[in-house]
Coordinates of all heavy atoms in Angstrom, one line a residue:
G1 N 68.0 53.8 22.7 CA 69.3 53.5 23.3 C 70.3 53.2 22.2 O 70.2 53.6 21.1
E2 N 71.2 52.3 22.5 CA 72.2 52.0 21.6 C 72.0 50.6 20.9 O 72.7 50.3 20.0 CB 73.6 51.9 22.3 CG 74.0 53.3 22.9 CD 75.3 53.2 23.6 OE1 76.0 52.2 23.5 OE2 75.6 54.2 24.4
A3 N 71.0 49.9 21.4 CA 70.6 48.6 20.8 C 69.7 48.8 19.6 O 68.9 49.7 19.5 CB 69.9 47.7 21.8
P4 N 69.9 47.9 18.6 CA 69.0 48.0 17.4 C 67.5 47.8 17.8 O 67.3 47.0 18.7 CB 69.5 47.0 16.4 CG 70.6 46.2 17.1 CD 70.8 46.9 18.4
L5 N 66.6 48.4 17.1 CA 65.2 48.2 17.3 C 64.8 46.8 16.9 O 65.1 46.4 15.8 CB 64.4 49.3 16.6 CG 62.9 49.4 16.9 CD1 62.7 49.8 18.3 CD2 62.3 50.4 15.9
S6 N 64.0 46.1 17.7 CA 63.6 44.8 17.3 C 62.1 44.8 17.3 O 61.4 45.6 17.9 CB 64.1 43.7 18.3 OG 63.4 43.8 19.5
Q7 N 61.5 43.8 16.5 CA 60.1 43.7 16.4 C 59.5 43.4 17.8 O 58.4 43.9 18.1 CB 59.7 42.6 15.4 CG 58.2 42.6 15.2 CD 57.8 41.7 14.0 OE1 58.6 41.3 13.2 NE2 56.5 41.4 14.0
G8 N 60.2 42.6 18.6 CA 59.7 42.3 19.9 C 59.5 43.6 20.8 O 58.5 43.7 21.5
T9 N 60.5 44.5 20.7 CA 60.4 45.7 21.4 C 59.2 46.6 20.9 O 58.5 47.1 21.7 CB 61.7 46.5 21.2 OG1 62.8 45.8 21.7 CG2 61.7 47.8 22.0
V10 N 59.1 46.7 19.6 CA 58.0 47.4 19.1 C 56.6 46.8 19.5 O 55.7 47.5 19.9 CB 58.1 47.6 17.5 CG1 56.9 48.2 16.9 CG2 59.4 48.3 17.1
S11 N 56.5 45.5 19.3 CA 55.3 44.8 19.7 C 54.9 45.1 21.2 O 53.8 45.3 21.5 CB 55.4 43.3 19.4 OG 55.5 43.1 18.0
H12 N 56.0 45.0 22.0 CA 55.8 45.2 23.5 C 55.2 46.6 23.7 O 54.3 46.8 24.5 CB 57.1 45.0 24.2 CG 56.9 45.3 25.7 ND1 56.3 44.5 26.6 CD2 57.4 46.4 26.4 CE1 56.4 45.1 27.8 NE2 57.0 46.2 27.7
E13 N 55.8 47.6 23.1 CA 55.4 49.0 23.3 C 54.0 49.2 22.7 O 53.2 50.0 23.3 CB 56.4 50.0 22.6 CG 57.7 50.1 23.4 CD 57.4 50.6 24.9 OE1 56.8 51.7 25.0 OE2 57.8 49.9 25.8
V14 N 53.7 48.7 21.6 CA 52.4 48.8 21.0 C 51.3 48.2 22.0 O 50.3 48.8 22.2 CB 52.3 48.2 19.6 CG1 50.8 48.1 19.1 CG2 53.1 49.0 18.6
H15 N 51.7 47.0 22.5 CA 50.7 46.4 23.5 C 50.5 47.3 24.7 O 49.4 47.5 25.2 CB 51.3 45.0 23.9 CG 50.4 44.4 25.0 ND1 49.2 43.9 24.7 CD2 50.7 44.2 26.3 CE1 48.7 43.4 25.9 NE2 49.5 43.6 26.8
R16 N 51.6 47.9 25.2 CA 51.5 48.8 26.4 C 50.7 50.0 26.1 O 49.8 50.4 26.8 CB 53.0 49.2 26.8 CG 53.0 50.1 28.1 CD 54.4 50.6 28.4 NE 54.9 51.5 27.3 CZ 54.5 52.8 27.2 NH1 53.6 53.2 28.0 NH2 55.0 53.5 26.3
I17 N 50.9 50.6 24.9 CA 50.1 51.8 24.5 C 48.6 51.4 24.3 O 47.7 52.1 24.7 CB 50.7 52.4 23.2 CG1 52.1 53.0 23.5 CG2 49.8 53.4 22.6 CD1 52.9 53.3 22.3
S18 N 48.4 50.3 23.6 CA 47.0 49.8 23.4 C 46.3 49.6 24.7 O 45.1 50.0 24.9 CB 47.1 48.5 22.6 OG 45.8 47.9 22.5
K19 N 47.0 49.0 25.7 CA 46.4 48.7 27.0 C 46.0 50.1 27.7 O 44.9 50.2 28.2 CB 47.3 47.9 27.9 CG 46.7 47.4 29.1 CD 47.7 46.5 29.8 CE 47.2 46.1 31.2 NZ 48.1 45.3 32.0
A20 N 46.9 51.0 27.6 CA 46.7 52.3 28.2 C 45.6 53.1 27.6 O 44.7 53.7 28.2 CB 48.0 53.2 28.2
M21 N 45.5 53.0 26.2 CA 44.4 53.6 25.5 C 43.1 53.0 25.8 O 42.0 53.7 25.9 CB 44.7 53.6 24.0 CG 45.8 54.5 23.5 SD 46.2 54.3 21.8 CE 44.7 55.1 21.1
R22 N 43.1 51.7 26.0 CA 41.8 51.0 26.4 C 41.4 51.4 27.8 O 40.2 51.7 28.0 CB 42.1 49.5 26.3 CG 41.0 48.6 26.9 CD 39.8 48.5 26.0 NE 38.9 47.7 26.7 CZ 37.8 47.2 26.2 NH1 37.6 47.3 24.9 NH2 37.0 46.5 26.9
E23 N 42.3 51.5 28.7 CA 42.0 51.9 30.1 C 41.5 53.3 30.1 O 40.7 53.7 30.9 CB 43.3 51.7 31.0 CG 43.6 50.3 31.2 CD 45.0 50.1 31.9 OE1 45.7 51.1 32.2 OE2 45.3 48.9 32.2
D24 N 42.1 54.2 29.3 CA 41.7 55.6 29.2 C 40.4 55.8 28.4 O 40.0 56.9 28.2 CB 42.8 56.5 28.7 CG 44.0 56.6 29.6 OD1 43.8 56.2 30.8 OD2 45.0 57.0 29.2
R25 N 39.9 54.7 27.8 CA 38.7 54.7 27.0 C 38.9 55.5 25.7 O 37.9 56.1 25.2 CB 37.5 55.2 27.8 CG 37.1 54.3 28.9 CD 36.0 54.8 29.7 NE 35.9 54.1 30.9 CZ 34.8 53.3 31.2 NH1 33.8 53.2 30.3 NH2 34.8 52.6 32.3
V26 N 40.1 55.6 25.2 CA 40.4 56.2 24.0 C 40.2 55.2 22.8 O 39.9 55.6 21.7 CB 41.8 56.8 24.0 CG1 42.2 57.4 22.6 CG2 42.0 57.8 25.1
A27 N 40.5 53.9 23.1 CA 40.3 52.9 22.2 C 39.3 51.9 22.7 O 39.2 51.6 23.9 CB 41.7 52.1 22.0
D28 N 38.4 51.4 21.8 CA 37.4 50.5 22.2 C 37.9 49.1 22.5 O 37.3 48.4 23.3 CB 36.3 50.4 21.1 CG 35.6 51.7 20.9 OD1 35.5 52.5 21.9 OD2 35.1 52.0 19.7
E29 N 39.0 48.7 21.8 CA 39.5 47.3 22.0 C 41.0 47.4 21.9 O 41.6 48.3 21.3 CB 38.9 46.3 21.1 CG 39.0 46.8 19.6 CD 38.2 45.9 18.7 OE1 37.0 45.9 18.8 OE2 38.8 45.2 17.8
L30 N 41.7 46.3 22.4 CA 43.1 46.2 22.3 C 43.5 46.0 20.8 O 42.8 45.5 20.0 CB 43.6 45.1 23.1 CG 43.5 45.2 24.6 CD1 43.9 43.9 25.3 CD2 44.2 46.4 25.2
F31 N 44.7 46.5 20.4 CA 45.2 46.3 19.1 C 46.7 45.8 19.2 O 47.3 46.0 20.2 CB 45.0 47.5 18.2 CG 45.6 48.8 18.9 CD1 47.0 49.1 18.6 CD2 44.9 49.6 19.6 CE1 47.5 50.2 19.2 CE2 45.4 50.8 20.2 CZ 46.7 51.1 20.0
K32 N 47.1 45.3 18.0 CA 48.5 44.7 17.9 C 49.2 45.5 16.9 O 48.6 46.3 16.1 CB 48.5 43.3 17.5 CG 47.8 42.4 18.5 CD 47.8 41.0 17.9 CE 46.6 40.2 18.4 NZ 46.4 38.9 17.8
F33 N 50.5 45.3 16.8 CA 51.4 46.0 15.8 C 50.9 45.6 14.4 O 50.8 46.5 13.5 CB 52.8 45.5 16.0 CG 53.8 46.2 15.1 CD1 53.9 47.6 15.0 CD2 54.6 45.4 14.3 CE1 54.8 48.2 14.1 CE2 55.5 46.0 13.4 CZ 55.6 47.4 13.3
A34 N 50.5 44.4 14.2 CA 50.0 44.0 12.9 C 48.7 44.8 12.5 O 48.5 45.1 11.3 CB 49.7 42.5 12.9
D35 N 47.9 45.1 13.5 CA 46.7 45.9 13.2 C 47.1 47.3 12.7 O 46.5 47.8 11.8 CB 45.9 46.0 14.5 CG 45.3 44.7 15.0 OD1 45.0 43.8 14.2 OD2 45.3 44.6 16.2
L36 N 48.2 47.8 13.3 CA 48.6 49.2 12.9 C 49.2 49.1 11.4 O 48.9 50.0 10.6 CB 49.7 49.7 13.8 CG 49.3 50.0 15.2 CD1 50.5 50.4 16.1 CD2 48.2 51.0 15.3
R37 N 50.0 48.1 11.1 CA 50.5 47.9 9.8 C 49.4 47.8 8.8 O 49.4 48.3 7.7 CB 51.4 46.7 9.7 CG 52.7 46.9 10.4 CD 53.6 45.7 10.4 NE 54.0 45.4 9.0 CZ 54.9 44.5 8.7 NH1 55.4 43.7 9.6 NH2 55.2 44.3 7.4
R38 N 48.3 47.0 9.1 CA 47.2 46.8 8.2 C 46.4 48.1 8.0 O 46.0 48.4 6.9 CB 46.3 45.7 8.8 CG 45.1 45.4 7.9 CD 44.2 44.2 8.5 NE 44.0 44.2 9.9 CZ 44.6 43.4 10.7 NH1 45.5 42.5 10.3 NH2 44.4 43.4 12.0
T39 N 46.3 48.9 9.1 CA 45.6 50.2 8.9 C 46.4 51.1 8.0 O 45.8 51.8 7.2 CB 45.4 50.8 10.3 OG1 44.6 49.9 11.1 CG2 44.7 52.1 10.3
V40 N 47.7 51.2 8.2 CA 48.6 52.0 7.4 C 48.4 51.6 6.0 O 48.2 52.4 5.1 CB 50.0 52.0 7.9 CG1 50.9 52.7 6.9 CG2 50.1 52.6 9.3
E41 N 48.6 50.3 5.7 CA 48.5 49.8 4.3 C 47.2 50.2 3.7 O 47.1 50.7 2.5 CB 48.6 48.3 4.3 CG 48.4 47.6 3.0 CD 49.7 47.3 2.3 OE1 50.8 47.2 2.9 OE2 49.6 47.1 1.0
T42 N 46.1 50.0 4.4 CA 44.7 50.3 3.9 C 44.6 51.8 3.5 O 44.1 52.2 2.4 CB 43.7 49.9 4.9 OG1 43.8 48.5 5.1 CG2 42.3 50.3 4.4
H43 N 45.1 52.7 4.4 CA 45.0 54.1 4.1 C 45.9 54.5 3.0 O 45.6 55.4 2.2 CB 45.3 54.9 5.4 CG 44.1 54.9 6.3 ND1 42.9 55.6 6.1 CD2 44.0 54.3 7.5 CE1 42.1 55.4 7.1 NE2 42.7 54.6 8.0
L44 N 47.1 53.9 2.9 CA 48.0 54.2 1.8 C 47.4 53.8 0.5 O 47.6 54.5 -0.5 CB 49.4 53.6 2.0 CG 50.3 54.1 3.1 CD1 51.5 53.3 3.3 CD2 50.6 55.6 2.9
V45 N 46.7 52.7 0.4 CA 45.9 52.4 -0.8 C 45.0 53.5 -1.2 O 44.9 54.0 -2.3 CB 45.2 51.1 -0.6 CG1 44.2 50.8 -1.8 CG2 46.1 49.9 -0.5
K46 N 44.2 54.0 -0.2 CA 43.2 55.0 -0.4 C 43.9 56.3 -0.8 O 43.3 57.1 -1.6 CB 42.4 55.3 0.9 CG 41.5 54.2 1.2 CD 40.8 54.5 2.6 CE 39.9 53.3 3.0 NZ 39.3 53.6 4.3
L47 N 45.1 56.5 -0.4 CA 45.9 57.7 -0.8 C 46.6 57.6 -2.1 O 47.3 58.5 -2.5 CB 46.9 58.1 0.3 CG 46.3 58.5 1.7 CD1 47.3 58.5 2.8 CD2 45.6 59.9 1.6
G48 N 46.4 56.4 -2.8 CA 47.0 56.3 -4.1 C 48.4 55.8 -4.2 O 49.0 55.9 -5.2
V49 N 49.0 55.3 -3.1 CA 50.4 54.8 -3.1 C 50.4 53.5 -3.8 O 49.7 52.6 -3.4 CB 50.9 54.8 -1.7 CG1 52.3 54.2 -1.7 CG2 50.9 56.1 -1.0
P50 N 51.3 53.3 -4.8 CA 51.4 52.1 -5.5 C 51.8 50.9 -4.6 O 52.5 51.0 -3.6 CB 52.4 52.3 -6.6 CG 52.6 53.8 -6.7 CD 52.2 54.3 -5.3
K51 N 51.3 49.7 -5.0 CA 51.5 48.5 -4.2 C 53.0 48.2 -4.0 O 53.4 47.8 -2.9 CB 50.8 47.3 -4.9 CG 50.9 46.0 -4.1 CD 50.1 44.9 -4.8 CE 50.0 43.7 -3.9 NZ 49.1 42.7 -4.4
D52 N 53.8 48.4 -5.0 CA 55.2 48.0 -4.9 C 55.9 49.0 -3.9 O 56.8 48.6 -3.1 CB 56.0 48.0 -6.2 CG 56.0 49.4 -6.9 OD1 54.9 50.1 -6.8 OD2 57.0 49.7 -7.5
V53 N 55.5 50.2 -3.8 CA 56.1 51.2 -2.8 C 55.6 50.8 -1.4 O 56.3 50.9 -0.5 CB 55.7 52.6 -3.2 CG1 56.2 53.6 -2.2 CG2 56.3 53.0 -4.6
R54 N 54.3 50.5 -1.3 CA 53.7 50.1 0.0 C 54.5 48.9 0.5 O 54.8 48.8 1.7 CB 52.2 49.8 -0.1 CG 51.4 51.0 -0.4 CD 49.9 50.7 -0.3 NE 49.4 49.4 -0.7 CZ 48.9 49.1 -1.9 NH1 48.8 50.1 -2.8 NH2 48.5 47.9 -2.2
A55 N 54.7 47.9 -0.4 CA 55.4 46.7 0.0 C 56.8 47.0 0.5 O 57.3 46.4 1.5 CB 55.4 45.7 -1.2
R56 N 57.5 47.9 -0.2 CA 58.9 48.2 0.2 C 58.9 48.9 1.6 O 59.8 48.8 2.4 CB 59.6 49.1 -0.8 CG 59.9 48.3 -2.0 CD 60.5 49.1 -3.1 NE 60.6 48.4 -4.4 CZ 61.5 47.4 -4.6 NH1 62.4 47.1 -3.7 NH2 61.5 46.8 -5.8
L57 N 57.8 49.7 1.8 CA 57.8 50.5 3.1 C 57.3 49.6 4.3 O 57.9 49.7 5.4 CB 56.8 51.6 2.9 CG 56.6 52.6 4.1 CD1 57.9 53.3 4.3 CD2 55.5 53.6 3.8
L58 N 56.4 48.7 4.0 CA 55.7 48.0 5.2 C 56.0 46.5 5.3 O 55.8 45.9 6.3 CB 54.2 48.1 5.0 CG 53.7 49.6 5.1 CD1 52.2 49.6 4.8 CD2 53.9 50.1 6.5
S59 N 56.6 45.9 4.2 CA 56.7 44.5 4.3 C 58.1 44.1 4.7 O 59.0 44.9 4.9 CB 56.5 43.9 2.9 OG 55.1 44.1 2.5
H60 N 58.4 42.8 4.8 CA 59.7 42.3 5.1 C 60.6 42.2 4.0 O 61.7 41.7 4.1 CB 59.5 40.8 5.7 CG 58.6 40.8 6.9 ND1 59.1 41.4 8.1 CD2 57.4 40.4 7.2 CE1 58.1 41.2 9.0 NE2 57.1 40.6 8.5
G61 N 60.2 42.8 2.8 CA 61.0 42.7 1.6 C 60.3 42.1 0.5 O 59.3 41.4 0.7
L62 N 60.8 42.3 -0.7 CA 60.1 41.8 -1.9 C 60.9 40.6 -2.4 O 62.1 40.6 -2.4 CB 60.0 42.8 -3.0 CG 59.2 44.0 -2.6 CD1 59.2 45.1 -3.7 CD2 57.7 43.7 -2.3
G63 N 60.2 39.6 -2.9 CA 60.9 38.4 -3.4 C 60.8 38.4 -5.0 O 60.4 39.4 -5.6
G64 N 61.2 37.4 -5.5 CA 61.1 37.3 -7.0 C 62.4 37.6 -7.7 O 63.2 38.4 -7.2
M65 N 62.6 37.0 -8.8 CA 63.8 37.2 -9.6 C 64.1 38.7 -9.9 O 65.2 39.1 -9.7 CB 63.7 36.4 -10.9 CG 65.0 36.4 -11.7 SD 66.3 35.5 -11.0 CE 65.8 33.8 -11.2
Q66 N 63.1 39.4 -10.4 CA 63.3 40.8 -10.8 C 63.8 41.6 -9.6 O 64.7 42.4 -9.7 CB 62.0 41.3 -11.4 CG 62.2 42.8 -11.9 CD 61.0 43.3 -12.6 OE1 60.0 42.6 -12.7 NE2 61.0 44.5 -13.0
D67 N 63.1 41.5 -8.5 CA 63.4 42.3 -7.3 C 64.8 41.9 -6.7 O 65.5 42.8 -6.3 CB 62.3 42.2 -6.2 CG 61.1 42.9 -6.7 OD1 61.1 44.0 -7.0 OD2 60.0 42.2 -6.6
K68 N 65.1 40.7 -6.7 CA 66.4 40.2 -6.1 C 67.6 40.5 -7.0 O 68.6 40.8 -6.5 CB 66.3 38.7 -5.9 CG 65.5 38.3 -4.7 CD 65.5 36.8 -4.5 CE 64.8 36.4 -3.2 NZ 64.9 35.0 -3.0
H69 N 67.4 40.4 -8.3 CA 68.6 40.4 -9.2 C 68.7 41.6 -10.1 O 69.8 42.0 -10.5 CB 68.7 39.1 -9.9 CG 68.8 37.9 -9.0 ND1 69.9 37.7 -8.3 CD2 67.9 37.0 -8.7 CE1 69.7 36.5 -7.6 NE2 68.5 36.1 -7.8
Y70 N 67.6 42.2 -10.5 CA 67.6 43.1 -11.6 C 67.3 44.6 -11.2 O 67.8 45.5 -11.7 CB 66.7 42.7 -12.8 CG 67.1 41.4 -13.3 CD1 66.2 40.3 -13.3 CD2 68.4 41.1 -13.8 CE1 66.5 39.1 -13.8 CE2 68.7 39.9 -14.3 CZ 67.8 38.8 -14.3 OH 68.1 37.6 -14.7
D71 N 66.4 44.7 -10.3 CA 65.9 46.1 -9.9 C 66.9 46.6 -8.8 O 66.8 46.2 -7.6 CB 64.5 46.0 -9.4 CG 63.9 47.4 -9.1 OD1 64.7 48.4 -9.1 OD2 62.7 47.5 -8.8
R72 N 67.8 47.5 -9.2 CA 68.8 48.0 -8.2 C 68.4 49.4 -7.7 O 69.2 50.0 -7.0 CB 70.1 48.1 -8.9 CG 70.7 46.7 -9.3 CD 71.0 45.9 -8.1 NE 71.6 44.6 -8.5 CZ 71.7 43.6 -7.7 NH1 71.2 43.7 -6.5 NH2 72.3 42.5 -8.1
H73 N 67.2 49.9 -8.1 CA 66.8 51.2 -7.6 C 66.5 51.1 -6.1 O 66.0 50.2 -5.6 CB 65.5 51.6 -8.4 CG 65.0 53.0 -8.0 ND1 65.8 54.1 -8.0 CD2 63.8 53.4 -7.6 CE1 65.0 55.1 -7.6 NE2 63.8 54.7 -7.4
D74 N 67.0 52.1 -5.3 CA 66.8 52.1 -3.9 C 65.4 52.6 -3.4 O 65.0 52.4 -2.3 CB 67.9 52.9 -3.2 CG 67.9 54.3 -3.5 OD1 66.9 54.9 -4.1 OD2 68.9 55.0 -3.1
Y75 N 64.6 53.2 -4.3 CA 63.3 53.7 -4.0 C 63.2 54.7 -3.0 O 62.1 55.0 -2.4 CB 62.3 52.5 -3.7 CG 62.0 51.7 -4.9 CD1 62.9 50.6 -5.3 CD2 60.9 51.9 -5.7 CE1 62.6 49.9 -6.4 CE2 60.6 51.2 -6.8 CZ 61.5 50.2 -7.2 OH 61.2 49.4 -8.3
L76 N 64.3 55.4 -2.6 CA 64.3 56.4 -1.6 C 63.4 57.6 -2.0 O 62.7 58.1 -1.1 CB 65.7 56.9 -1.3 CG 66.5 55.8 -0.5 CD1 68.0 56.4 -0.2 CD2 65.9 55.4 0.8
P77 N 63.4 58.1 -3.2 CA 62.5 59.2 -3.6 C 61.0 58.8 -3.4 O 60.2 59.6 -2.9 CB 62.8 59.5 -5.0 CG 64.2 59.0 -5.2 CD 64.3 57.8 -4.4
E78 N 60.7 57.6 -3.8 CA 59.3 57.1 -3.7 C 58.9 56.9 -2.2 O 57.8 57.3 -1.8 CB 59.1 55.8 -4.5 CG 59.2 55.9 -6.0 CD 60.7 55.9 -6.5 OE1 61.6 55.8 -5.7 OE2 60.9 55.9 -7.7
L79 N 59.8 56.4 -1.4 CA 59.5 56.2 0.0 C 59.4 57.5 0.7 O 58.6 57.7 1.6 CB 60.6 55.3 0.6 CG 60.6 53.9 0.1 CD1 61.8 53.1 0.7 CD2 59.4 53.2 0.4
A80 N 60.3 58.5 0.4 CA 60.2 59.8 1.0 C 58.9 60.5 0.6 O 58.3 61.1 1.5 CB 61.4 60.7 0.5
S81 N 58.5 60.4 -0.6 CA 57.3 61.0 -1.1 C 56.1 60.4 -0.3 O 55.2 61.1 0.1 CB 57.1 60.8 -2.6 OG 55.8 61.2 -3.0
T82 N 56.1 59.1 -0.2 CA 55.1 58.3 0.6 C 55.0 58.8 2.0 O 53.9 59.0 2.6 CB 55.3 56.8 0.5 OG1 55.2 56.4 -0.9 CG2 54.2 56.1 1.3
M83 N 56.2 59.0 2.6 CA 56.2 59.5 4.0 C 55.6 60.9 4.2 O 55.0 61.2 5.1 CB 57.6 59.4 4.6 CG 58.1 57.9 4.7 SD 57.0 56.8 5.6 CE 57.0 57.5 7.2
K84 N 55.8 61.7 3.2 CA 55.2 63.1 3.2 C 53.7 63.0 3.0 O 53.0 63.7 3.7 CB 55.8 63.9 2.0 CG 57.3 64.3 2.3 CD 57.8 65.1 1.1 CE 59.3 65.4 1.3 NZ 59.9 66.1 0.2
I85 N 53.3 62.1 2.2 CA 51.8 61.9 2.0 C 51.2 61.4 3.3 O 50.2 61.9 3.8 CB 51.6 60.8 0.9 CG1 51.9 61.5 -0.5 CG2 50.1 60.3 0.9 CD1 52.0 60.5 -1.6
W86 N 51.9 60.4 4.0 CA 51.4 59.9 5.2 C 51.4 61.0 6.3 O 50.5 61.0 7.1 CB 52.3 58.7 5.6 CG 51.8 58.0 6.9 CD1 52.4 57.9 8.1 CD2 50.6 57.3 7.0 NE1 51.7 57.2 8.9 CE2 50.5 56.8 8.3 CE3 49.5 57.1 6.2 CZ2 49.4 56.1 8.8 CZ3 48.4 56.4 6.7 CH2 48.4 55.9 7.9
H87 N 52.5 61.8 6.4 CA 52.5 62.9 7.4 C 51.4 63.8 7.2 O 50.7 64.2 8.2 CB 53.9 63.6 7.2 CG 54.1 64.7 8.2 ND1 54.0 66.0 7.9 CD2 54.3 64.6 9.5 CE1 54.2 66.7 8.9 NE2 54.4 65.9 10.0
T88 N 51.1 64.2 5.9 CA 50.0 65.1 5.7 C 48.6 64.5 6.1 O 47.8 65.1 6.7 CB 49.9 65.5 4.2 OG1 51.2 66.1 3.8 CG2 48.8 66.4 3.8
F89 N 48.5 63.2 5.8 CA 47.3 62.5 6.2 C 47.1 62.5 7.7 O 46.0 62.8 8.3 CB 47.3 61.0 5.7 CG 46.2 60.1 6.2 CD1 44.9 60.2 5.8 CD2 46.5 59.2 7.2 CE1 43.9 59.4 6.3 CE2 45.5 58.4 7.7 CZ 44.2 58.5 7.2
L90 N 48.2 62.2 8.5 CA 48.1 62.2 9.9 C 47.8 63.6 10.5 O 47.1 63.7 11.5 CB 49.4 61.6 10.5 CG 49.7 60.1 10.3 CD1 51.0 59.7 10.9 CD2 48.6 59.3 10.8
Q91 N 48.4 64.6 9.9 CA 48.1 66.0 10.3 C 46.6 66.2 10.2 O 46.0 66.9 11.0 CB 48.9 67.0 9.5 CG 50.3 67.0 9.9 CD 51.1 68.0 9.1 OE1 51.0 68.1 7.9 NE2 51.9 68.8 9.8
K92 N 46.0 65.8 9.1 CA 44.5 66.0 8.8 C 43.7 65.2 9.9 O 42.7 65.7 10.4 CB 44.1 65.6 7.4 CG 42.7 65.8 7.1 CD 42.3 65.5 5.7 CE 40.9 65.7 5.4 NZ 39.9 65.8 6.4
V93 N 44.1 63.9 10.2 CA 43.4 63.1 11.2 C 43.5 63.9 12.5 O 42.5 64.0 13.2 CB 44.1 61.7 11.3 CG1 43.6 61.0 12.5 CG2 43.8 60.9 10.0
E94 N 44.7 64.4 12.9 CA 44.8 65.1 14.1 C 44.0 66.3 14.2 O 43.3 66.6 15.2 CB 46.3 65.5 14.3 CG 46.6 66.2 15.6 CD 48.0 66.6 15.8 OE1 48.7 66.9 14.8 OE2 48.5 66.5 17.0
A95 N 44.0 67.1 13.1 CA 43.2 68.3 13.0 C 41.7 68.0 13.1 O 40.9 68.7 13.9 CB 43.4 69.1 11.8
D96 N 41.2 67.0 12.5 CA 39.8 66.6 12.5 C 39.4 66.1 13.9 O 38.4 66.5 14.4 CB 39.5 65.4 11.5 CG 39.6 65.9 10.1 OD1 39.7 67.1 9.8 OD2 39.6 65.0 9.2
A97 N 40.3 65.4 14.6 CA 40.1 64.9 16.0 C 40.0 66.1 16.9 O 39.1 66.2 17.8 CB 41.1 63.9 16.4
L98 N 40.9 67.1 16.8 CA 40.9 68.3 17.6 C 39.6 69.1 17.4 O 39.0 69.5 18.3 CB 42.1 69.1 17.3 CG 42.3 70.4 18.1 CD1 42.4 70.0 19.6 CD2 43.5 71.2 17.6
Q99 N 39.2 69.2 16.1 CA 38.0 69.9 15.8 C 36.8 69.2 16.5 O 35.9 69.9 17.0 CB 37.8 70.0 14.3 CG 36.6 70.8 13.9 CD 36.4 70.9 12.4 OE1 37.1 70.3 11.7 NE2 35.5 71.8 12.0
R100 N 36.7 67.9 16.4 CA 35.6 67.2 17.0 C 35.6 67.4 18.6 O 34.5 67.5 19.2 CB 35.7 65.7 16.7 CG 35.1 65.4 15.3 CD 34.9 63.9 15.1 NE 36.1 63.1 15.4 CZ 37.1 62.8 14.6 NH1 37.0 63.3 13.4 NH2 38.1 62.1 14.9
S101 N 36.8 67.4 19.2 CA 36.8 67.4 20.6 C 36.6 68.8 21.1 O 36.1 69.0 22.3 CB 38.2 66.9 21.1 OG 39.2 67.8 20.8
T102 N 36.9 69.9 20.4 CA 36.7 71.2 20.8 C 35.5 71.9 20.2 O 35.1 72.9 20.7 CB 38.0 72.1 20.5 OG1 38.1 72.2 19.1 CG2 39.2 71.5 21.2
G103 N 35.0 71.4 19.1 CA 33.8 72.0 18.5 C 34.2 73.1 17.5 O 33.4 73.8 17.0
F104 N 35.5 73.3 17.3 CA 36.0 74.4 16.4 C 36.5 73.8 15.1 O 37.2 73.0 15.0 CB 37.1 75.2 17.1 CG 36.6 76.0 18.3 CD1 37.0 75.6 19.6 CD2 35.8 77.1 18.2 CE1 36.6 76.3 20.7 CE2 35.3 77.7 19.3 CZ 35.7 77.3 20.5

């Protein structure tokens, strides 16, 4: 809609999706938004994404003198590259799941 996205809205939707997945027996247990963030962080580590880029992508922001006052780089190229890496990873997860479900 026209309202900004809030964490409460996202958390509510994740809870709704989690509940539906549990009811459909797609998920073994309920999960929260924080669980999704932790899973993404863990996989990005495995995919070789540097900690500072992961922090800029997933955290509430970086603190410290250097980040607040001296580092003026917007990190858009690094974030875009990370999103491409993540997209490729998700495509592989989807293809593997499809292969398991169809046997092909």
